[in-house]
Amino acid sequence: MIQLLDVFGFLSVILRGLTLALQSLVIGGLVFELFIARGVRGPHGDVGDQPAAAARAGRRLLLGSALCLAVAQAGYVAADTALLMATTGLGLAAVAGANFFVAGAAAAILALVIAALVFKAGRQERPALAGALLLSLGLLAASVATSHAAARLEGRALPLALTSLHMAATGCWIGGLPYLLLALARVPGAAAARTVASRFSRLAQGSVAALLGAGIGLAVIYVGSPAAILGTAYGAMVSAKAILLALLLGLGALNYYVVRRALAGDTSGLASLRRFAEAEVGIGFTVILAAASLTSQPPAADLAPRDLVSLPEIEARMAPRLPRLAPPSASDRLPLSLRGAASGGDRHAVDTYLSYVPGQLVEPATPGEIALSEFNHNVSGLVVLIAGLLAVAARAGWRWARNWPLAFLALAVFLFLLADAEYWPLGPVPFWRGFLVAEALQHRLAVLLIVAFAFYERRVQTGSAVAPATALVFPFVCFLGGALLLTHSHGLNNPKNELLVELSHASIAILGVAAGWSRWLELRLPDGPRRALSWVWPVCFVLVGALLLDYRES
């Protein structure tokens, strides 16, 4: 069980993000069904309930979200229970009284009741949905009960209120967007689509105002000082979340412009509204995952001043330097406790090394280990930079450069061999043991994403892809890659070094999200905007390559 704790910790963040996303879908769906989709005008100007096709699609999504939320909450409680029992020695009876256990179990039960009410809504629609919306307040309360606000010893009233407002606004806006997409694709006629879009636009404006106000208030409380914005991991994650939110607001502004034109009688832009809303959904749920990562870190305001990284320290670490493109020797790249295993086949040394408590390395990183990590990132950056420059060349009309995705196959092989050099085939640790360590598991998931990206995108770039959906693998992989980076961590036995690494990862994650959704919009929008967006993602690749080339841990 001890070996599994590291993976459970990683899964806990993922499950927390999943529960927040599904909670937003439930809240957003209920608000949309009750207040946005009611009384939509039909194709002949009559006023009644929303058309049957749109109603069925929305109810299916709402029902599925509630059921999945119950399952995700149960998984989240199980993962955190396993972590607590294994690290403290407490029994299940003692853990069952913990705040997270009670709140998670209550949320799972509420989600099941909401699902039952949504299923019943076909016969008693409005009372059932109103009851479900009332119960969704319990979901909010359960999430707030496991937030930083509830964990504070004093002055909790304001953080609790702001956190509740923040989550509710996120649910109404981000959680309601998928239902807007379903409705716009199914309501009959431009008049009905205009009505739905206009109502949701007003809801989104109010939600954004509430979200920004609550978010700024929480940032002031939890970050504490300007120095902590970039000087702590919490502040860096808040900054990344703010940048992603700015991208969301830009897309929202474009949709607001489209809705204003539609109200004036020009409905030609409603198709573009759906495309922008699709990107809003993806970026919005990435922001929710970033929020889940924040709950796993202590607020910056609670850290001692000595734990903050100063701006000169950040500048010194980020200063350009020649990349490390030569690997350290085979003997230097392994931890000290594994070198005997590598030379003499000592399996006991391997078992001892792997039986650590997650987050606490058995020994500090050696210069050889640091050199290997820098070598891995720098070589990866060189490959990504080359791929990005080739993609730019392909955009400029160089046909031979369309094979640029093949560079990522080389990157996948390189990462598989050297990202975790202590594992097979280069190290003494068996390959399957790496699935018990979160960092190694994340690296292997990244390798799978890179292979999928290279294979499918080359077919798209060379014109050999038959199915149009093949082109969507690109933005999907970039979205997952950026999300994975937001939850990725390095155990360096030094909080300052960990922060400096996280700054690099957060920047790359943001560029990955921007690359993915600019490609999505390029594929989905009309020709004019498509041409401009086709230059965004290659530039993002070049910037990611430059960041990785300058990556360092020393």
Side-chain angles (χ1 to χ4, degrees), residues 463-482:
S464 60
V466 177
T470 302
L472 300 181
V473 172
F474 181 150
F476 182 71
V477 168
C478 286
F479 163 71
L480 283 182

Side-chain angles (χ1 to χ4, degrees), residues 313-320 499-501 503-504 550 552:
E313 288 178 296
I314 295 175
E315 292 175 346
R317 175 64 64 87
M318 299 298 181
L499 165 65
L500 293 167
V501 170
L503 287 174
S504 174
D550 194 46
R552 57 203 291 189

Side-chain angles (χ1 to χ4, degrees), residues 80-244:
D80 280 1
T81 299
L83 278 169
L84 190 58
M85 290 175 63
T87 54
T88 64
L90 294 174
L92 181 60
V95 175
N99 186 42
F100 81 90
F101 193 99
V102 175
I109 294 172
L110 285 172
L112 289 175
V113 176
I114 290 173
L117 288 172
V118 172
F119 183 76
K120 182 183 177 183
R123 295 189 297 272
Q124 300 178 5
E125 179 181 25
R126 196 162 184 81
L129 292 178
L133 183 59
L134 185 62
L135 290 176
S136 71
L137 297 177
L139 293 178
L140 274 178
S143 288
V144 173
T146 56
S147 67
H148 284 309
R152 301 188 76 80
L153 298 178
E154 56 184 21
R156 294 193 297 176
L158 181 58
L160 285 172
L162 292 176
T163 302
S164 301
L165 181 60
H166 195 72
M167 289 185 176
T170 301
C172 291
W173 176 29
I174 304 301
L177 279 169
Y179 299 91
L180 174 67
L181 290 172
L182 291 175
L184 291 178
R186 290 166 176 80
V187 292
R194 183 171 60 239
T195 299
V196 171
S198 176
R199 290 178 181 176
F200 188 81
S201 178
R202 290 193 293 271
L203 173 67
Q205 291 174 53
S207 299
V208 167
L211 189 149
L212 285 176
I216 292 172
L218 290 171
V220 171
I221 293 171
Y222 291 144
V223 175
S225 66
I229 295 176
L230 292 180
T232 63
Y234 188 93
M237 188 60 70
V238 168
S239 301
K241 185 181 172 184
I243 293 172
L244 291 174

Side-chain angles (χ1 to χ4, degrees), residues 111-503:
L112 289 175
V113 176
I114 290 173
L117 288 172
V118 172
F119 183 76
K120 182 183 177 183
R123 295 189 297 272
Q124 300 178 5
E125 179 181 25
R126 196 162 184 81
L129 292 178
L133 183 59
L134 185 62
L135 290 176
S136 71
L137 297 177
L139 293 178
L140 274 178
S143 288
V144 173
T146 56
S147 67
H148 284 309
R152 301 188 76 80
L153 298 178
E154 56 184 21
R156 294 193 297 176
L158 181 58
L160 285 172
L162 292 176
T163 302
S164 301
L165 181 60
H166 195 72
M167 289 185 176
T170 301
C172 291
W173 176 29
I174 304 301
L177 279 169
Y179 299 91
L180 174 67
L181 290 172
L182 291 175
L184 291 178
R186 290 166 176 80
V187 292
R194 183 171 60 239
T195 299
V196 171
S198 176
R199 290 178 181 176
F200 188 81
S201 178
R202 290 193 293 271
L203 173 67
Q205 291 174 53
S207 299
V208 167
L211 189 149
L212 285 176
I216 292 172
L218 290 171
V220 171
I221 293 171
Y222 291 144
V223 175
S225 66
I229 295 176
L230 292 180
T232 63
Y234 188 93
M237 188 60 70
V238 168
S239 301
K241 185 181 172 184
I243 293 172
L244 291 174
L245 182 59
L247 292 177
L248 268 179
L249 293 178
L251 290 170
L254 292 173
N255 276 342
Y256 175 76
Y257 174 72
V258 171
V259 171
R260 288 289 300 271
R261 289 180 57 188
L263 291 175
D266 182 6
T267 59
S268 60
L270 288 177
S272 295
L273 184 146
R274 290 173 56 192
R275 306 312 175 206
F276 290 135
E278 290 168 355
E280 277 189 85
V281 170
I283 298 175
F285 283 104
T286 305
V287 173
I288 291 175
L289 184 61
S293 296
L294 281 174
T295 62
S296 66
Q297 301 172 3
D302 296 339
L303 297 178
R306 65 176 180 274
D307 293 327
L308 271 63
V309 180
S310 66
L311 187 59
E313 288 178 296
I314 295 175
E315 292 175 346
R317 175 64 64 87
M318 299 298 181
R321 57 140 205 199
L322 291 176
R324 188 187 296 272
L325 300 179
S329 65
S331 60
D332 289 340
R333 71 187 181 208
L334 292 176
L336 292 172
S337 58
L338 285 183
R339 291 180 188 173
S343 59
D346 184 359
R347 304 307 305 169
H348 176 70
V350 174
D351 294 334
T352 301
Y353 178 74
L354 288 176
S355 62
Y356 64 87
V357 176
Q360 299 177 352
L361 294 181
V362 175
E363 56 196 35
T366 65
E369 291 177 270
I370 293 174
L372 178 63
S373 180
E374 293 179 350
F375 168 72
N376 291 341
H377 285 81
N378 294 165
V379 172
S380 299
L382 180 61
V383 175
V384 175
L385 178 62
I386 292 172
L389 292 174
L390 289 175
V392 170
R395 289 287 130 189
W398 295 16
R399 291 181 58 84
W400 60 271
R402 293 182 305 169
N403 291 294
W404 61 264
L406 291 178
F408 284 94
L409 285 178
L411 176 62
V413 173
F414 173 79
L415 290 178
F416 175 77
L417 293 176
L418 284 174
D420 302 288
E422 64 268 29
Y423 295 94
W424 180 92
L426 298 182
V429 183
F431 174 79
W432 298 109
R433 298 288 288 273
F435 289 99
L436 304 180
V437 179
E439 186 175 332
L441 177 61
Q442 292 166 14
H443 289 162
R444 290 171 184 181
L445 291 175
V447 168
L448 291 177
L449 289 176
I450 290 170
V451 170
F453 174 88
F455 176 75
Y456 286 103
E457 189 58 23
R458 181 184 179 275
R459 296 181 63 193
V460 172
Q461 293 293 326
T462 58
S464 60
V466 177
T470 302
L472 300 181
V473 172
F474 181 150
F476 182 71
V477 168
C478 286
F479 163 71
L480 283 182
L484 190 63
L485 269 179
L486 289 174
T487 62
H488 185 63
S489 63
H490 280 71
L492 299 177
N493 257 351
N494 186 320
K496 291 189 175 183
N497 279 342
E498 290 176 20
L499 165 65
L500 293 167
V501 170
E502 293 304 326
L503 287 174

